[in-house]
Amino acid sequence: MINVQCFAHIREQIGKDQLILDETKITVKDLMDKLSALYSIQTESIMVAVNEEYAEPGDIVNEGDTVALIPPVSGG
Amino acid sequence: MINVQCFAHIREQIGKDQLILDETKITVKDLMDKLSALYSIQTESIMVAVNEEYAEPGDIVNEGDTVALIPPVSGG
Amino acid sequence: MMFVITSEPILIEEVTNKVVRPEAGAVVNFIGTVREFTKGKRTLSLQYEAYPAMAEKQLEKIGAEIKEKWPEAVTAITHRTGKLAISDIAVVIAVSTPHRKDAYLANEYAIERIKQIVPIWKKEHWEDGEEWIGDQLEKTVYPTGKPEEMNSL
Amino acid sequence: MMFVITSEPILIEEVTNKVVRPEAGAVVNFIGTVREFTKGKRTLSLQYEAYPAMAEKQLEKIGAEIKEKWPEAVTAITHRTGKLAISDIAVVIAVSTPHRKDAYLANEYAIERIKQIVPIWKKEHWEDGEEWIGDQLEKTVYPTGKPEEMNSL
């Protein structure tokens, strides 16, 4: 299982701050495509972090990893 | 009479923080030449303020004005 | 703790004191406060949300980047989360250096980077609605999936 | 009182609060602290002397110059006099603006101008002596009798 954390408008759109996906090994890109289909979220402006580090589309997410969906940031 | 205020190394060199000059009307330049002769201070790096504003060598100092000798500043 | 995400009010003095040291003659602070009007639109309040663990890591990364560019600089950053009123402090960045020029440059670098890579989001509350900033108004697309490296200042 | 010469310790928060306002989203502070080593020489303490009435007028003048260059900026400056120990705060400059870029530029302008036109003097106390800075080490000659206008940043 893979834990996916959601923030800001993505959290509000999905209606949850956390998703549990029944996956054991998946690329960031494939994971995003699944989420896009499941929750009809626009993913092209969303960054992905795996275990609190920004990840590339080709990076592998493993069971037990924490994924975060990071919409464009606006701190400061 | 004209009151002359002295600061920093000029104050220490002259040994007073205030001088009273028996003048009624004098240019800044002439006043500096007098002070230079009287107290053997180097005047070329000293700025002069009259009534709390920087003055030019040709400006006139009148009786009752407050003159200040301003060595190169080093605040901040 | 030089890089902090907190829900408490930020004390400028406290952040500054983390970087004051005998070798430093200059501290530059950036203090971000909640502005009432943006492009003519009145803000009532702001809400900041963070991914705190990752946000602190990213702030540390910014500190490390500054260390590389300005080896004598020491940086501390505190960013607040939660609901903020007009003029409340959202972020304080303090950078100390032996000489002042570097403190200005490194400080400005820090705020630019915060706006690029630190997972913190701002929701504006107006009289007629609310919106997550970075959502529609200032839409950004990241073709690589990661924020771009910033060009050097 | 936006422009102050004082013999009391300076509180950063207090100077900053003078410029915080709903229209401003950014405050930049410059905090000048007493540095222990300058060119390898150890400073034990510093002494600042001012011509207070004129110094406050000159600080006000700097505020007016900033207003002219950056009309939306608001500036407050406090400079301390008397004996200061290592890391004590000698000066705090706070500039608020709607947008941050101007706050950095205006703040840097202020500290440059302080070092040019404000009648304040620093005496360094070392282990083996003391000296008024601006006296022999950094001798400046003013051919016009006045400090030069500063070139724009």
Side-chain angles (χ1 to χ4, degrees):
Chain A
M1 293 197 302
I2 292 168
N3 181 306
V4 180
Q5 303 202 30
C6 307
F7 297 97
H9 79 274
I10 294 295
R11 175 176 51 71
E12 291 184 353
Q13 216 170 313
I14 293 180
K16 294 178 186 171
D17 59 7
Q18 207 159 246
L19 304 171
I20 308 292
L21 292 187
D22 190 16
E23 300 282 348
T24 53
K25 190 169 184 165
I26 187 170
T27 66
V28 165
K29 185 179 180 313
D30 289 349
L31 186 139
M32 289 301 279
D33 288 347
K34 289 209 170 177
L35 290 173
S36 178
L38 281 167
Y39 299 97
S40 58
I41 49 173
Q42 299 247 319
T43 57
E44 75 269 23
S45 69
I46 295 180
M47 296 181 276
V48 174
V50 178
N51 300 330
E52 301 169 4
E53 298 288 348
Y54 287 110
E56 306 277 358
D59 289 352
I60 304 292
V61 183
N62 289 301
E63 172 129 36
D65 283 347
T66 294
V67 173
L69 306 183
I70 315 266
V73 303
S74 51
Chain B
M1 292 197 301
I2 292 167
N3 179 308
V4 180
Q5 302 203 29
C6 308
F7 297 97
H9 81 274
I10 294 295
R11 176 176 51 70
E12 291 184 353
Q13 217 171 313
I14 292 180
K16 294 177 187 170
D17 58 8
Q18 205 157 245
L19 305 171
I20 309 290
L21 292 187
D22 190 17
E23 300 281 346
T24 52
K25 191 171 183 162
I26 186 170
T27 66
V28 165
K29 186 181 179 311
D30 289 348
L31 185 139
M32 289 301 277
D33 288 346
K34 288 210 171 176
L35 291 172
S36 177
L38 280 167
Y39 298 99
S40 57
I41 50 173
Q42 299 247 319
T43 57
E44 76 269 22
S45 67
I46 296 180
M47 293 181 278
V48 174
V50 178
N51 301 331
E52 301 170 4
E53 298 287 349
Y54 287 110
E56 307 275 359
D59 290 351
I60 303 291
V61 183
N62 289 300
E63 171 129 37
D65 285 346
T66 294
V67 173
L69 306 183
I70 315 267
V73 303
S74 51
Chain C
M1 293 286 289
M2 303 296 267
F3 304 98
V4 178
I5 304 293
T6 178
S7 58
E8 300 295 314
I10 306 175
L11 298 173
I12 305 168
E13 223 96 37
E14 194 181 306
V15 183
T16 305
N17 285 340
K18 294 179 186 177
V19 304
V20 168
R21 59 211 156 95
E23 304 79 35
V27 180
V28 170
N29 288 342
F30 175 82
I31 299 150
T33 56
V34 177
R35 194 177 52 217
E36 187 168 16
F37 288 94
T38 298
K39 293 168 192 161
K41 201 160 182 180
R42 187 175 175 202
T43 299
L44 300 179
S45 68
L46 281 188
Q47 183 187 335
Y48 281 95
E49 176 175 331
Y51 179 10
M54 182 173 171
E56 290 186 348
K57 272 194 186 177
Q58 292 297 108
L59 293 177
E60 265 172 46
K61 182 173 187 297
I62 293 170
E65 288 174 2
I66 287 174
K67 206 63 179 172
E68 202 159 303
K69 287 171 186 284
W70 296 278
E72 296 183 304
V74 173
T75 306
I77 305 175
T78 300
H79 201 301
R80 191 173 167 191
T81 56
K83 190 177 172 185
L84 273 71
I86 303 303
S87 291
D88 278 355
I89 296 174
V91 61
V92 173
I93 303 168
V95 179
S96 69
T97 56
H99 300 285
R100 67 184 181 279
K101 194 85 196 168
D102 287 348
Y104 286 105
L105 293 173
N107 193 294
E108 197 167 3
Y109 178 84
I111 182 66
E112 300 291 338
R113 288 298 273 160
I114 286 173
K115 288 170 182 290
Q116 292 174 331
I117 68 165
V118 180
I120 300 176
W121 301 271
K122 171 165 78 173
K123 190 179 203 173
E124 295 239 16
H125 296 261
W126 302 297
E127 281 158 331
D128 61 349
E130 54 183 42
E131 189 156 26
W132 286 103
I133 305 303
D135 174 11
Q136 291 165 35
L137 288 179
E138 309 176 31
K139 190 152 196 161
T140 317
V141 175
Y142 300 99
T144 66
K146 291 170 84 166
E148 302 294 319
E149 292 302 310
M150 198 176 102
N151 295 324
S152 60
L153 286 171
Chain D
M1 293 286 289
M2 303 296 267
F3 304 99
V4 177
I5 304 293
T6 178
S7 58
E8 300 295 313
I10 306 174
L11 298 174
I12 304 168
E13 224 95 37
E14 194 181 306
V15 182
T16 304
N17 285 340
K18 294 178 186 176
V19 303
V20 169
R21 59 211 156 96
E23 305 78 35
V27 180
V28 170
N29 287 342
F30 175 82
I31 299 149
T33 55
V34 177
R35 195 175 54 217
E36 186 168 16
F37 287 94
T38 299
K39 292 168 192 163
K41 201 161 182 180
R42 187 176 175 199
T43 299
L44 300 180
S45 68
L46 280 188
Q47 185 187 335
Y48 281 95
E49 177 175 330
Y51 179 12
M54 181 173 172
E56 290 186 348
K57 273 194 185 176
Q58 292 298 110
L59 292 177
E60 266 171 47
K61 182 173 189 294
I62 293 170
E65 288 174 2
I66 287 174
K67 204 66 177 169
E68 201 158 304
K69 287 172 186 283
W70 296 277
E72 296 183 303
V74 172
T75 307
I77 306 175
T78 300
H79 201 300
R80 189 173 168 192
T81 56
K83 191 178 171 183
L84 274 70
I86 302 304
S87 291
D88 278 355
I89 296 174
V91 62
V92 173
I93 303 167
V95 179
S96 70
T97 57
H99 300 283
R100 68 183 180 280
K101 193 84 196 169
D102 286 349
Y104 285 106
L105 292 174
N107 193 294
E108 197 167 2
Y109 179 84
I111 182 67
E112 299 292 336
R113 289 296 275 160
I114 287 174
K115 289 171 181 287
Q116 291 174 331
I117 68 165
V118 181
I120 299 175
W121 302 269
K122 170 164 80 174
K123 190 179 201 172
E124 296 238 15
H125 295 262
W126 303 295
E127 280 159 332
D128 60 350
E130 53 183 43
E131 188 155 25
W132 287 102
I133 304 303
D135 175 8
Q136 290 167 34
L137 288 178
E138 309 175 30
K139 189 153 196 161
T140 316
V141 175
Y142 300 98
T144 67
K146 290 171 85 166
E148 300 296 319
E149 290 305 307
M150 199 175 100
N151 294 324
S152 61
L153 284 171

